Amino acid sequence: MTHEETRAAGLAESELARLLAISPSPDFAAKVRSRILQRANSRQRHFRWNVAAAAVLVSAAAFMAAGILRAPGIRTPAAAPVISAPAQWSRPLGAPGLTPAIRAREAAPGAVPTKGTTIVLVPPDAQRALQRVVDLAATGALSAGAAALPAPLTEAPTRPVAPIVVEELDVIEIAVSGAAMEDGVD
Amino acid sequence: MNEWAGAFADGLVTFDEELEAAFEAHLRDSSPLVFRVAYGVLRHRQDAEDVAQEAFARAYRKIGQLRDRDRFRAWLVRMTWRLAIDRWRAERRRISREESALTLTPPRTTDEAAEAHERAVLLWRAIDRLPEKLRVVVVLAAIEEHDTREVARLLEVPEGTVKSRLFKARKRLAEALRCLRHDSATR
């Protein structure tokens, strides 16, 4: 740098220092605090809006999922209907798998069959018939194998069977000319 | 459990109070510097205050990460410079800024005012011709008469780099001023 350049640069620097020797306004710090507070409030507001939007989205998704599952043709595994049996129907005596606790719970007034408990519903007539079969089998008067298998046929059926007569058919001869044959198929 | 929660809450409160106090100290000490850095780029008082406030508002969120006072100050200065440059590039009102900047210095006489106005316009034009790396060194060195060590600390570069850039900047500034004066004289 020449002497002239050094002098010019020095003058420029001092001029620049003079131009930059200014201070911010007295309420500068207050404005900064106000801006920080505004940012914090804005962030809180945005956070709340985001949470609300997320909640709405989740609710909408759950609602749509429920609607799809309830559409015809789609069965939910947990929605098995509970059948209320007529009052006169009952479980056969000696049904296995019933603990005293279950019996007590089901005997309570207004109790409904609980999920997971096997219940066999038997009409009164069938229940009596089954009871008789069980009693006969228990006393030995009824053989289970004999009851299950049909009895063998020892004699011919007594009902007479009429013989089948087949009558002879009359055959009529049909005369067909050669021209007619040619007009038909080749 | 309640004791632990209470101690944890007390710790949080103490931490926040410490950070608040540190930020208040930074705000008190660095406001003029940050404002002048912004003003050195924008040359408009309101715009410079706006950029400086924005820089402090952003710094408030990072105060927990930069607890070292010197590093925070340097980081704040660099961020202010970047924000001011972005603002300066986005807006195209440089001539009005230069004119309004001159009104801040109260003129003593009409001749003095005209002369100061012309000098300042030429100076800002010459500074605008400098590359950004040289310009920031010149502006920071002119603010509060920072020496090269202080400028190096603010820019987080070696002091030798600052000296080298300052030398180049002075040379280019002198050349630019000479050219600009010659152009204005021939008009």
Side-chain angles (χ1 to χ4, degrees), chain A residues 1 5 8-9 12-13 15-20 22-25 28-29 31-33 35-36 39 43, chain B residues 23-24 31 35-36 39-40 45 49-50 52-54 56 60-61 105 119 123 127 138 142 170 174 177:
Chain A
M1 279 176 69
E5 284 177 342
E13 281 179 330
E15 179 72 14
L16 183 60
R18 190 185 65 79
L19 289 172
L20 292 177
I22 55 170
S23 298
S25 57
F28 179 81
K31 285 180 181 173
V32 169
R33 292 188 197 101
R35 188 177 287 220
I36 289 169
R39 292 279 167 82
R43 272 200 300 276
Chain B
F23 181 77
E24 283 295 323
S31 288
F35 171 69
R36 286 166 189 168
Y39 187 81
R45 191 176 182 88
E49 282 212 358
D50 189 48
Q53 288 167 14
E54 178 65 23
F56 272 109
Y60 181 78
R61 295 170 62 186
T105 310
R119 272 204 319 268
L123 178 61
I127 288 174
V138 166
R170 281 174 178 157
L177 281 172

Side-chain angles (χ1 to χ4, degrees), chain A residues 175-186:
Chain A
V176 181
S177 64
M181 286 285 286
E182 287 176 0
D183 288 341
V185 284
D186 54 325

Side-chain angles (χ1 to χ4, degrees), chain A residues 139-169:
Chain A
T139 55
L142 179 66
S143 168
L149 294 174
L153 292 173
T154 53
E155 56 184 14
T158 55
R159 186 178 172 184
V161 178
I164 298 169
V165 178
V166 179
E167 294 181 359
E168 196 170 331
L169 294 172

Side-chain angles (χ1 to χ4, degrees), chain A residues 82-85 87 102-114:
Chain A
V82 177
I83 301 169
S84 58
I102 294 174
R103 286 178 200 276
R105 191 167 62 243
E106 292 181 356
V112 294
T114 54

